[in-house]
Amino acid sequence: MELIADRLTKQYGSKIAVDRMSFELKKGVIGLLGANGAGKTTLMRMMCGILSPTSGELSYNGLSVTSEEYRNVLGYLPQDFGYYPEFTGKDFLMYFCALKGLDKKAAKARCAELLDLVGLKDVAGVKVKKYSGGMKQRLGIAQALINRPEVLILDEPTAGLDPKERVRFRNLIEELGKESIVVLSTHIVSDVEHIADRIIMMKSGQIIWQGSWKESDGSLEDFYLKEFE
């Protein structure tokens, strides 16, 4: 289980959004940390095969990220995820299960499992328009997990959440990282400081630091603020 970027670059005219990034990601939680505009979303969209790099390569276990085989093991929650307000939480997941090719029996079982996992079992029959921001984000994570992904990419999943929801998210993501490669982007240090097995810090499209902060006695927030002050 290995996601590899080799000199990955994305350029828009004269602007370089991602600048010759190289890394190898293995099972665990990877925190992609950087200020807004650092290039995190562009990088994650390339990881999902949505954007094509200007140069460089991305592969997973030897597969191109544009291949159908890779998409079958990928889960993705974009920063701006669309919801169907008149659907119930269960209907919403059933719809995505159908898109993923699950038959009705398998879809019902998977939906029940996921709604319980993300703490939405008791509101499965409630329309999404009545969900709080945190509940919608948990529903978004549930849809990203339908196919039991080996690679899970979450773009700013805690944006706008209250402190209680942030803690719930961090606990869930930490568990998911035991079985998958989980890439979580954020500009909030506390979202990744204690759960990330590895942190990649980005600035102006480049990696300015990467490694395991769990093995450090220092303060990630102090280091982060110093780099971005």
Side-chain angles (χ1 to χ4, degrees), residues 10-182:
K10 184 63 179 180
Q11 186 167 354
Y12 299 96
S14 60
K15 177 177 173 55
I16 300 175
V18 172
D19 190 6
R20 296 166 293 173
M21 289 185 66
S22 295
F23 51 76
E24 297 179 5
L25 306 182
K26 300 182 184 295
K27 185 187 295 184
V29 178
I30 296 92
L32 189 60
L33 186 60
N36 291 330
K40 303 187 302 295
T41 294
T42 298
L43 175 61
M44 298 184 102
R45 287 171 65 85
M46 287 192 287
M47 286 181 176
C48 294
I50 298 169
L51 284 179
S52 298
T54 304
S55 62
E57 295 182 351
L58 264 168
S59 63
Y60 173 69
N61 290 352
L63 299 170
S64 168
V65 297
T66 61
S67 68
E68 193 64 33
E69 293 93 336
Y70 174 70
R71 291 194 183 99
N72 288 338
V73 299
L74 173 70
Y76 177 44
L77 177 62
Q79 188 172 355
D80 298 311
F81 186 70
Y83 298 88
Y84 297 99
E86 295 300 322
F87 280 27
T88 66
K90 181 180 178 181
D91 289 341
F92 182 85
L93 286 186
M94 286 292 290
Y95 172 70
F96 274 86
C97 282
L99 293 180
K100 298 272 188 180
L102 276 68
D103 62 45
K104 193 169 184 179
K105 182 178 179 180
K108 283 185 176 180
R110 186 61 176 149
C111 283
E113 182 181 1
L114 289 171
L115 287 165
D116 186 44
L117 177 67
V118 300
L120 294 175
K121 181 179 179 180
D122 293 341
V123 291
V126 176
K127 288 186 177 182
V128 175
K129 67 181 180 182
K130 295 185 178 180
Y131 280 14
S132 67
M135 291 163 70
K136 288 178 181 177
Q137 287 294 77
R138 280 186 269 149
L139 187 63
I141 282 195
Q143 67 77 31
L145 296 174
I146 287 171
N147 60 332
R148 304 182 192 276
E150 295 175 15
V151 180
L152 179 61
I153 296 178
L154 308 170
D155 191 359
E156 297 274 3
T158 61
L161 300 188
D162 62 38
K164 186 177 179 180
E165 285 285 3
R166 285 185 183 280
V167 172
R168 183 195 291 268
F169 251 133
R170 290 199 292 267
N171 293 339
L172 175 58
I173 289 163
E174 189 170 23
E175 283 300 309
L176 294 171
K178 294 176 181 177
E179 301 295 331
S180 310
I181 296 174
V182 181

Side-chain angles (χ1 to χ4, degrees), residues 167-214:
V167 172
R168 183 195 291 268
F169 251 133
R170 290 199 292 267
N171 293 339
L172 175 58
I173 289 163
E174 189 170 23
E175 283 300 309
L176 294 171
K178 294 176 181 177
E179 301 295 331
S180 310
I181 296 174
V182 181
V183 183
L184 162 67
S185 82
T186 184
H187 61 278
I188 300 169
V189 173
S190 60
D191 284 345
V192 294
E193 186 168 18
H194 300 296
I195 66 167
D197 301 287
R198 181 175 172 191
I199 289 171
I200 296 176
M201 197 175 294
M202 288 183 66
K203 185 176 182 180
S204 302
Q206 295 183 321
I207 296 174
I208 60 171
W209 186 88
Q210 62 177 314
S212 173
W213 203 265
K214 287 182 176 181

